[in-house]
Amino acid sequence: MINVFQPALGADELAAIGRVFQSNWLGKGKLTAQFETDFATHLGVERNLVRSVNCCTEGLFQAIEVLGIGSGDEIILPTISFVGAANAIAARGAVPVFCDVDRRSLNATPETIAAKLTPRTKAALILHYGGLPGDLDGMHAVASGVGITLIEDAACSVATRYKGRGAGTIGEIGVWSFDAMKILVTGDGAMTYWNTPELAQRAEELMYLGMTTKSGFTTSVDTRWWEFDISCYGRRSIMNDISSAMGLEQLRKLPDFIRRRREIHERYDALLADLPWMELPPPVPAEAESSYYFYWLQMAPDIRDRLAGWLRERGIYTTFRYYPLHWVAHYGAKISLPAAEEAARSTLCIPIHQSLTDNEVAEISDRIHEFGRLHV
Ligand SMILES: *Cc1c(COP(=O)(O)O)cnc(C)c1O
């Protein structure tokens, strides 16, 4: 089976984990601090604005909680979003307000966000579909124009840049995921960015039991180092040095990962350009750099469904991300969002990951052409 997503882990990560075993400190320690430092450098932001967290979903929950969002508040998010984003909002008693997306990029736009603003709107929580940023300046202007926070779910945009800045650092809060299906992989793990040290500090306390003082291993010579106070009823949402050891190795390799993904993206662009019955992903705008997390095809809905099944029977896995949240019955959103609905019926994500070989890319293209000759 050719996977849609696949991690690229090897001897370097294994050796790094081995060193953690030898150090006898498996928990959150020096390596996690180093990973935060290196990730901040990668983003081009100050070190003390970045905090690691055990997964990106938890980072989204933290963002909503740190902002003090609660009952009666509304948060706008594209309906083509990760389910955890809407859960983070609804779990606090706030209302996830789903907005439409651009049919081709599947990203929210300044217009689709503006269309859902009310006096109760407290934030907009956007994502960069497949690592491709939308009109971030435009969306940020809409948010700051009415004094609401822009949260960027940059889960799959680990190397995405917009006008030279790291995606996830354009708005006030950003989150990145390193789960098993992402580009940079640590098993589970994530990073968060907060645009003020105060927000970052509040998040840190929430992520570690509400502790206002550092606990754990200490070289302090103070007496009674076991005493503490808390600032809130915090959870324990931390990364550990095993995951961070992997993360440090993966971060070093990230430029190579992205180069390979871009190469595959361009190969698909060339190989599939002659198929009149489908549209290829929109080009990356001049002001942006993508992470190339998805490669998505768009075609008539009945063809999309048949192509997915046909490829799967031939060992090529595909999928669609993200199933529109206004179609998830539990949220009870009885609305229509035409562009997102059209995209959800016509879009198919085909395999793209840094371990995909040229032969596999050629095989996928050949199979799609074969399907076209037989069934379109
Ligand atoms: C994967 C993903 C998440 C969740 O990340 P976890 O680390 O698995 O919690 C959130 N948002 C988007 C857009 C994602 O793709």
Side-chain angles (χ1 to χ4, degrees):
M1 199 81 182
I2 300 178
N3 291 325
V4 201
F5 313 116
Q6 192 172 298
L9 295 161
D12 298 326
E13 288 78 9
L14 212 48
I17 291 171
R19 290 192 294 275
V20 176
F21 285 13
Q22 283 156 19
S23 79
N24 209 25
W25 183 268
L26 274 55
K28 185 182 179 190
K30 283 188 193 128
L31 292 181
T32 303
Q34 188 63 49
F35 188 33
E36 289 173 338
T37 301
D38 289 8
F39 200 77
T41 304
H42 159 71
L43 292 174
V45 298
E46 274 175 53
R47 165 67 181 91
N48 73 339
L49 301 178
V50 171
R51 296 293 188 281
S52 57
V53 64
N54 61 343
C55 71
C56 183
T57 301
E58 175 65 14
L60 290 165
F61 273 72
Q62 303 278 359
I64 299 301
E65 202 165 337
V66 163
L67 291 174
I69 285 163
S71 177
D73 294 338
E74 295 178 358
I75 314 300
I76 299 170
L77 74 167
T79 187
I80 306 287
S81 278
F82 179 66
V83 57
N87 286 353
I89 296 162
R92 303 282 306 167
V95 184
V97 175
F98 304 118
C99 74
D100 211 347
V101 298
D102 175 75
R103 182 188 72 84
R104 294 279 291 125
S105 72
L106 285 81
N107 275 323
T109 69
E111 294 75 29
T112 62
I113 291 173
K116 295 290 177 178
L117 287 169
T118 77
R120 292 176 299 281
T121 310
K122 288 293 177 334
L125 197 176
I126 59 159
L127 66 87
H128 317 307
Y129 185 79
L132 180 75
D135 178 1
L136 286 180
D137 275 351
M139 289 187 276
H140 198 213
V142 166
S144 24
V146 291
I148 65 167
T149 305
L150 183 68
I151 307 168
E152 288 178 73
D153 177 353
C156 52
S157 305
V158 67
T160 299
R161 301 188 83 80
Y162 179 79
K163 299 188 178 171
R165 294 166 68 194
T169 69
I170 315 294
E172 285 70 41
I173 301 173
V175 292
W176 295 261
S177 169
F178 311 133
D179 83 24
M181 301 231 275
K182 295 303 196 285
I183 299 170
L184 188 169
V185 166
T186 64
D188 274 310
M191 284 289 172
T192 60
Y193 161 82
W194 314 83
N195 78 330
T196 68
E198 292 71 32
L199 282 180
Q201 179 62 28
R202 260 180 28 223
E204 183 174 332
E205 290 171 13
L206 207 52
M207 286 172 197
Y208 197 74
L209 305 164
M211 292 278 178
T212 51
T213 47
K214 300 269 178 203
S215 76
F217 180 78
T218 175
T219 50
S220 158
V221 291
D222 296 346
T223 51
R224 299 194 303 274
W225 52 86
W226 47 82
E227 296 181 352
F228 65 88
D229 195 10
I230 62 167
S231 65
C232 60
Y233 304 123
R235 299 183 287 269
R236 190 174 175 288
S237 324
I238 52 177
M239 273 191 83
N240 61 62
D241 274 13
I242 302 173
S243 305
S244 298
M246 296 167 74
L248 283 163
E249 294 300 318
Q250 293 262 294
L251 188 56
R252 271 198 310 109
K253 298 177 182 176
L254 186 60
D256 289 335
F257 290 171
I258 300 299
R259 212 170 294 128
R260 178 59 187 154
R261 299 180 86 100
R262 180 181 178 150
E263 213 170 82
I264 294 167
H265 202 277
E266 286 169 355
R267 233 165 231 275
Y268 276 139
D269 280 350
L271 289 168
L272 301 174
D274 61 340
L275 295 171
W277 49 275
M278 65 164 65
E279 289 178 286
L280 306 183
V284 179
E287 72 271 18
E289 290 167 47
S290 180
S291 294
Y292 304 100
Y293 185 58
F294 297 151
Y295 191 91
W296 64 101
L297 309 173
Q298 296 186 304
M299 63 204 81
D302 62 313
I303 298 180
R304 193 275 307 260
D305 291 352
R306 281 189 290 133
L307 176 62
W310 198 86
L311 289 174
R312 196 166 169 179
E313 281 163 19
R314 284 154 186 81
I316 298 165
Y317 204 78
T318 63
T319 191
F320 169 64
R321 290 280 157 76
Y322 301 85
Y323 184 68
L325 297 176
H326 76 287
W327 283 353
V328 176
H330 194 89
Y331 294 119
K334 293 183 175 61
I335 53 171
S336 146
L337 298 167
E341 288 168 18
E342 192 183 338
R345 290 189 178 105
S346 60
T347 306
L348 191 65
C349 303
I350 64 173
I352 182 165
H353 54 79
Q354 53 265 18
S355 309
L356 206 61
T357 65
D358 290 351
N359 280 342
E360 287 172 325
V361 173
E363 184 192 334
I364 292 161
S365 163
D366 289 348
R367 289 299 193 180
I368 293 172
H369 280 87
E370 194 183 337
F371 172 87
R373 283 194 300 276
L374 294 170
H375 299 293
V376 180

